[in-house]
Amino acid sequence: MSVQEPIEYRDACPQVRAVFDDIKRTRQVDDVNNFWKYLAHDPVTLKRTWESIKEIMAPGALDAVTKEMIYLAVSVTNGCAYCIASHGAAARKAGMSGQMFAELMAVVGMANETNRLANGYRVPIDAAFAR
Amino acid sequence: MSVQEPIEYRDACPQVRAVFDDIKRTRQVDDVNNFWKYLAHDPVTLKRTWESIKEIMAPGALDAVTKEMIYLAVSVTNGCAYCIASHGAAARKAGMSGQMFAELMAVVGMANETNRLANGYRVPIDAAFAR
Amino acid sequence: MSVQEPIEYRDACPQVRAVFDDIKRTRQVDDVNNFWKYLAHDPVTLKRTWESIKEIMAPGALDAVTKEMIYLAVSVTNGCAYCIASHGAAARKAGMSGQMFAELMAVVGMANETNRLANGYRVPIDAAFAR
Amino acid sequence: MSVQEPIEYRDACPQVRAVFDDIKRTRQVDDVNNFWKYLAHDPVTLKRTWESIKEIMAPGALDAVTKEMIYLAVSVTNGCAYCIASHGAAARKAGMSGQMFAELMAVVGMANETNRLANGYRVPIDAAFAR
Amino acid sequence: MSVQEPIEYRDACPQVRAVFDDIKRTRQVDDVNNFWKYLAHDPVTLKRTWESIKEIMAPGALDAVTKEMIYLAVSVTNGCAYCIASHGAAARKAGMSGQMFAELMAVVGMANETNRLANGYRVPIDAAFAR
Amino acid sequence: MSVQEPIEYRDACPQVRAVFDDIKRTRQVDDVNNFWKYLAHDPVTLKRTWESIKEIMAPGALDAVTKEMIYLAVSVTNGCAYCIASHGAAARKAGMSGQMFAELMAVVGMANETNRLANGYRVPIDAAFAR
């Protein structure tokens, strides 16, 4: 078993090609990202993940650029280099300007700081915010 | 030394009261949250943190509700119960509806999932996203 | 199987009592913390963990209070409420003053912030720091 | 001081060589992984870590491949590239097939997602699961 | 908008009841866990999450107890109290004995330790494990 | 918008140069690290971050090397490769010897392990450590 190699469209089975086609059509791109080419080693997970992403990232009460920025904020928090690169690109494609990115990063940095200040000072939840 | 007790306004030194006054004025509230009452044990950090938050969270290229939602997304990712409670409240106060919250949570969940799929499948960054 | 209950000294098997005795002797306390009472459900892990802690936390090039503060910094970063409480107490017992705690928290908060700024800005390691 | 260089067997002191010999004997390999060559800069930690690993990873109520898969699941969750590579190899050597890997990844991804859903929705622990 | 209250079966809309019915049928239980009652505030995410869990957790190359143990390992790593409680119960229900739990915890603890040793010692990936 | 390129002193606007000058003067170096060159894309965050670092890292109740070691402990816990490299260098420059580093790493590893043992065994906080 080797997941070392990405699965290219030309080498993919029909089940995988169907997902690749839908990604390319939905995103208006000629080829899918590496993420999908590696996930294609598990066609069931590939399909479930894509169907979920499609549903979750479609514009709704939150627009596309806001959703991509939230995705980027999580990826930056977790330090996932791949996702930071790919979702940074997706966010810019969806309309994130340099200034928006700068402000997002400032919030992400500060939130990661105050989360730990709240931890270390053992701050109890205010009654006003009780579940 | 005991950081077990929150510092209430009435017991605070002038340095701390000055910060509490500014928080209350800026946020239009009668009292500050527990977070500030515990951080007040270190007046220098209290002031620096508040000044940073004020600068970072002011509406800019991103509006206030978007900034609060990003803050919430990070807090949910890190599992900080205090921050989830307080920033959830702040986001709702800034205009986050139930539907917006639901969509934010769906994105946060999915991003935490695909970050790990990218890790485990050791996906290389696409040339198109190279630094 | 139930790990719901802590194992008290009086109910412990000889193997566990031996470890509890050593903890109490080494730390000069009358009873062990809850952590050990729950870990006692696995006497092998209990022993290995205690032997490791004894070796690691003994004063060396770093003194005891510095080691406890590092332990606290990690626990705050990870948000482990139990460890924040117990290692905060251990650090104060070893000599951590309120001012030292305040400064430690400021560093921990800032480090958690700049770690993410480095992630999000995709900063390459300087040649001077190359492995 | 420089931990930049790995310590090879031929340059190692007797204390380190003894550990390297035991690793090679236990794992039936000709040379130890980089992890041990770098950890060898601290012979005390090298020995303690190897003794712990040997004890923990020996087949017991859980067999070797299950233990390696759990190790991999944690490493993927934490995003440790070194450990993902080395424990992925160890898991495959212990019997993890491509299908087992795919299913493990699907669980790891989903668990990282639902952990955050539980955080964000502030779900209280069911009475049936109370400590 | 309030996600403060769980949605009980009797108060649920047909869309939610359909999912609750499927959970109860699949898991052979009389009522669903709190997790589903809170997620029910977003019926779309509720359905997608349940369908994913059903697909992912079904026995395959990995049996049910192994999958639940991996889920528990991730939840312990992330410190999600709710998931530790609920998946601990699920794992025991699927056949995890006290000894299996003890061994799982020992592996999870050790993996979280060596992940950081690899980080701090900046260990390069061995050529044998290159992608 | 492109944050792909670092901003060198010679290309920087006066606002950024002022911060770079202060960093170089404070740290007694000829050029700033990459971190600052990338953060310079957001001059407001650059300035706020530097001012915070200057305040936080100045020797106080904790000396400079202790503060750098805490910073390193957090960076190792989070797996931030850039920060591990740069703060490792800073700690050594401030006086961290190889033995101090080895002991710090041993504590960081152990803390990350026992944090999870406490999570998984669901250890309740001892009354003596109650808030």
Side-chain angles (χ1 to χ4, degrees):
Chain A
M1 176 227 68
S2 167
V3 297
Q4 257 77 309
E5 301 305 318
I7 294 176
E8 298 291 343
Y9 187 90
R10 63 177 176 274
D11 303 316
C13 65
Q15 186 183 7
V16 167
R17 281 190 175 188
V19 176
F20 281 16
D21 286 336
D22 195 31
I23 296 172
K24 295 191 295 185
R25 182 173 34 239
T26 304
R27 292 183 165 177
Q28 305 257 296
V29 290
D30 296 329
D31 194 14
V32 301
N33 289 343
N34 278 343
F35 177 74
W36 304 107
K37 294 181 182 181
Y38 279 79
L39 205 55
H41 282 277
D42 179 5
V44 172
T45 293
L46 171 71
K47 181 172 162 66
R48 181 182 64 248
T49 303
W50 169 241
E51 295 295 333
S52 298
I53 290 274
K54 226 181 7 172
E55 186 168 84
I56 290 167
M57 301 303 283
L62 301 180
D63 61 19
V65 67
T66 301
K67 291 189 172 191
E68 284 295 348
M69 287 193 299
I70 290 167
Y71 219 110
L72 182 58
V74 170
S75 305
V76 168
T77 296
N78 288 329
C80 176
Y82 182 85
C83 296
I84 289 168
S86 66
H87 285 278
R92 286 192 290 276
K93 187 175 172 187
M96 180 181 77
S97 66
Q99 184 57 27
M100 290 164 72
F101 173 72
E103 292 181 17
L104 176 149
M105 281 304 309
V107 175
V108 170
M110 200 68 207
N112 274 282
E113 171 171 353
T114 60
N115 282 181
R116 276 58 183 215
L117 294 177
N119 288 347
Y121 279 91
R122 306 176 68 189
V123 186
I125 295 176
D126 305 70
F129 308 141
R131 195 188 296 113
Chain B
M1 176 227 68
S2 168
V3 297
Q4 257 79 308
E5 301 305 318
I7 294 176
E8 298 291 343
Y9 187 89
R10 62 179 177 274
D11 302 318
C13 65
Q15 187 183 6
V16 166
R17 281 189 175 189
V19 176
F20 280 16
D21 285 335
D22 196 30
I23 297 173
K24 294 191 297 186
R25 183 173 33 238
T26 304
R27 292 183 166 179
Q28 305 259 295
V29 290
D30 296 328
D31 194 15
V32 301
N33 290 342
N34 279 342
F35 176 75
W36 305 107
K37 294 181 182 181
Y38 280 78
L39 204 56
H41 282 277
D42 178 5
V44 172
T45 292
L46 171 71
K47 181 172 162 65
R48 182 184 60 249
T49 304
W50 169 241
E51 294 295 332
S52 297
I53 290 273
K54 226 182 4 172
E55 187 169 82
I56 291 168
M57 299 304 283
L62 301 181
D63 62 18
V65 67
T66 300
K67 291 190 173 191
E68 284 293 350
M69 288 194 296
I70 291 166
Y71 218 109
L72 181 57
V74 170
S75 305
V76 168
T77 296
N78 288 330
C80 176
Y82 182 84
C83 297
I84 290 167
S86 66
H87 285 278
R92 286 193 290 277
K93 186 176 171 186
M96 179 181 77
S97 66
Q99 185 56 29
M100 291 164 72
F101 173 73
E103 292 182 18
L104 175 149
M105 282 303 310
V107 175
V108 170
M110 200 69 206
N112 274 282
E113 171 171 353
T114 59
N115 282 181
R116 275 59 183 217
L117 294 177
N119 289 347
Y121 278 91
R122 305 176 67 190
V123 185
I125 295 176
D126 305 70
F129 310 141
R131 192 185 300 112
Chain C
M1 177 228 67
S2 167
V3 296
Q4 256 77 308
E5 301 305 319
I7 294 176
E8 298 291 343
Y9 187 88
R10 63 177 177 274
D11 302 317
C13 66
Q15 187 183 5
V16 167
R17 281 189 175 188
V19 176
F20 281 16
D21 286 336
D22 195 31
I23 295 173
K24 293 191 296 185
R25 182 173 33 239
T26 305
R27 293 183 165 177
Q28 305 257 295
V29 290
D30 296 329
D31 194 14
V32 301
N33 289 344
N34 278 343
F35 175 75
W36 305 108
K37 294 181 181 181
Y38 279 78
L39 205 55
H41 282 277
D42 179 4
V44 172
T45 294
L46 171 72
K47 182 173 162 65
R48 183 183 61 248
T49 304
W50 169 242
E51 295 294 332
S52 297
I53 289 273
K54 227 184 359 174
E55 186 168 84
I56 291 167
M57 299 304 283
L62 302 180
D63 62 18
V65 67
T66 301
K67 291 190 173 192
E68 284 293 350
M69 287 194 296
I70 291 166
Y71 219 108
L72 181 58
V74 171
S75 305
V76 168
T77 296
N78 288 330
C80 176
Y82 182 84
C83 297
I84 289 167
S86 67
H87 286 279
R92 286 191 292 275
K93 188 176 169 185
M96 179 181 77
S97 67
Q99 185 55 29
M100 290 164 73
F101 172 73
E103 292 181 16
L104 176 150
M105 282 304 309
V107 175
V108 170
M110 200 68 208
N112 273 282
E113 171 171 354
T114 60
N115 281 182
R116 275 61 184 213
L117 293 178
N119 288 346
Y121 279 91
R122 305 176 66 190
V123 185
I125 295 175
D126 305 71
F129 310 140
R131 194 185 300 110
Chain D
M1 177 226 67
S2 167
V3 297
Q4 257 78 309
E5 301 307 316
I7 293 176
E8 298 292 341
Y9 188 88
R10 63 177 176 274
D11 303 316
C13 66
Q15 188 184 5
V16 167
R17 282 189 174 188
V19 177
F20 280 15
D21 285 336
D22 196 32
I23 296 173
K24 294 191 296 185
R25 183 172 35 237
T26 305
R27 291 183 165 179
Q28 305 256 297
V29 289
D30 297 328
D31 193 14
V32 301
N33 290 342
N34 279 342
F35 176 75
W36 305 109
K37 295 181 181 180
Y38 279 78
L39 205 55
H41 283 276
D42 179 5
V44 172
T45 292
L46 172 70
K47 181 172 161 68
R48 183 184 61 249
T49 303
W50 169 241
E51 295 294 334
S52 297
I53 290 276
K54 226 182 7 172
E55 186 169 84
I56 290 167
M57 299 304 281
L62 301 180
D63 61 18
V65 67
T66 300
K67 290 190 174 191
E68 284 294 350
M69 287 193 298
I70 290 166
Y71 219 108
L72 182 57
V74 170
S75 305
V76 168
T77 296
N78 288 330
C80 176
Y82 182 84
C83 296
I84 289 167
S86 67
H87 286 278
R92 285 192 291 278
K93 187 175 171 188
M96 179 180 77
S97 66
Q99 185 57 27
M100 290 165 70
F101 173 73
E103 291 182 17
L104 176 150
M105 282 305 309
V107 175
V108 170
M110 200 69 207
N112 273 282
E113 172 173 351
T114 60
N115 282 180
R116 276 58 183 218
L117 294 177
N119 288 347
Y121 278 90
R122 305 176 68 189
V123 186
I125 295 175
D126 305 70
F129 308 142
R131 193 187 299 114
Chain E
M1 176 229 68
S2 168
V3 294
Q4 257 78 307
E5 301 304 320
I7 293 175
E8 299 289 343
Y9 187 89
R10 62 178 178 273
D11 303 316
C13 64
Q15 185 183 8
V16 167
R17 282 188 174 190
V19 176
F20 280 15
D21 285 335
D22 195 31
I23 295 172
K24 293 191 298 187
R25 183 172 34 239
T26 304
R27 293 184 165 177
Q28 305 258 294
V29 290
D30 296 328
D31 194 14
V32 301
N33 290 342
N34 278 343
F35 176 75
W36 305 108
K37 294 181 182 181
Y38 279 79
L39 205 56
H41 281 277
D42 179 4
V44 172
T45 293
L46 172 71
K47 181 172 162 66
R48 182 184 62 250
T49 304
W50 169 241
E51 294 295 331
S52 296
I53 289 273
K54 226 184 2 174
E55 186 169 83
I56 290 166
M57 300 303 283
L62 301 181
D63 61 19
V65 66
T66 301
K67 290 188 175 193
E68 283 294 349
M69 287 193 297
I70 291 166
Y71 218 109
L72 181 56
V74 170
S75 304
V76 168
T77 297
N78 288 330
C80 176
Y82 182 84
C83 297
I84 289 168
S86 67
H87 286 279
R92 287 193 290 277
K93 187 175 170 185
M96 180 181 77
S97 67
Q99 185 56 28
M100 290 164 73
F101 173 73
E103 292 182 16
L104 176 149
M105 281 304 309
V107 175
V108 170
M110 200 69 206
N112 273 282
E113 171 171 353
T114 60
N115 282 181
R116 276 58 183 215
L117 294 177
N119 288 348
Y121 278 91
R122 305 176 66 190
V123 185
I125 295 176
D126 304 70
F129 309 141
R131 193 185 300 114
Chain F
M1 179 229 64
S2 168
V3 297
Q4 255 78 309
E5 301 305 318
I7 294 176
E8 299 291 341
Y9 187 88
R10 63 177 176 274
D11 303 316
C13 65
Q15 187 183 5
V16 167
R17 282 190 174 185
V19 176
F20 280 15
D21 285 337
D22 196 31
I23 295 172
K24 294 191 294 187
R25 181 172 36 238
T26 304
R27 292 183 165 178
Q28 305 258 295
V29 291
D30 296 327
D31 194 13
V32 302
N33 291 342
N34 278 343
F35 176 74
W36 304 108
K37 294 181 182 181
Y38 280 79
L39 205 55
H41 282 276
D42 179 4
V44 172
T45 292
L46 171 71
K47 181 172 163 66
R48 183 184 62 250
T49 304
W50 169 241
E51 294 294 332
S52 298
I53 290 274
K54 227 183 3 173
E55 186 169 84
I56 291 167
M57 300 304 282
L62 301 179
D63 61 17
V65 66
T66 301
K67 291 189 173 192
E68 283 295 349
M69 288 193 296
I70 291 167
Y71 218 108
L72 182 57
V74 171
S75 304
V76 168
T77 297
N78 288 331
C80 176
Y82 182 85
C83 297
I84 290 168
S86 67
H87 285 278
R92 286 192 290 278
K93 186 176 171 185
M96 180 180 77
S97 66
Q99 185 55 28
M100 290 164 71
F101 173 73
E103 292 183 15
L104 175 149
M105 281 305 308
V107 175
V108 171
M110 200 68 206
N112 273 283
E113 171 171 353
T114 60
N115 281 182
R116 275 61 183 214
L117 293 177
N119 288 347
Y121 279 91
R122 305 176 67 191
V123 186
I125 296 175
D126 304 71
F129 309 141
R131 193 186 299 112

